[in-house]
Each structure stands twice: as C-alpha cells, then as structure tokens.
Amino acid sequence: MAGYGAPAKGNTLLNYCGVGPELIPYTVDLSPHKQGRYLPGVQIPIHAPQRIFEPGPTMCWCSPGT
C-alpha cells in the first residue's frame, strides 16, 4: 500500500495509530518542498507523484487533508 498526500492531519493519524513504513512504504505529494523528506514520527519517505505509477503497491491510502 502506498500513501497519497502528506498533510499534517494525515500524519497525525498515522502517528496516533502507529502506522509506519512496514505498512505504508512510501507516500507521494505534489509539493516539491516535501519530496525527498520523511513524515515526522513514522519516518515514511515522501516521493513525487510519478512514483505511484511504478510497479509495486496495488492499493493507495489517500491521506485526509484540510
């Protein structure tokens, strides 16, 4: 499973539930300022949206935004 979006609300939910890279190996976000970084606490890497189309995950978790 991959994540789509890296907003603060989604990150808070992941931290609260203890979800880390063992379940969601990476997330993607449109913001170039977030790409190449990690979600705080859970340390899930953030990539450019093109990564979601590469072979790998068959499911996508859409992070809740504002």
Side-chain angles (χ1 to χ4, degrees):
M1 179 182 331
Y4 192 93
K9 289 181 182 180
N11 189 50
T12 300
L13 179 63
L14 293 175
N15 276 286
Y16 179 79
C17 295
V19 175
E22 66 283 345
L23 181 61
I24 301 177
Y26 66 89
T27 187
V28 298
D29 197 278
L30 284 173
S31 172
H33 302 291
K34 294 180 181 180
Q35 296 166 14
R37 299 180 182 269
Y38 293 84
L39 293 177
V42 293
Q43 297 301 303
I44 296 174
I46 305 168
H47 297 283
Q50 294 81 0
R51 173 80 188 266
I52 205 87
F53 298 109
E54 294 177 7
T58 56
M59 295 181 5
C60 183
W61 178 73
C62 295
S63 183
T66 56

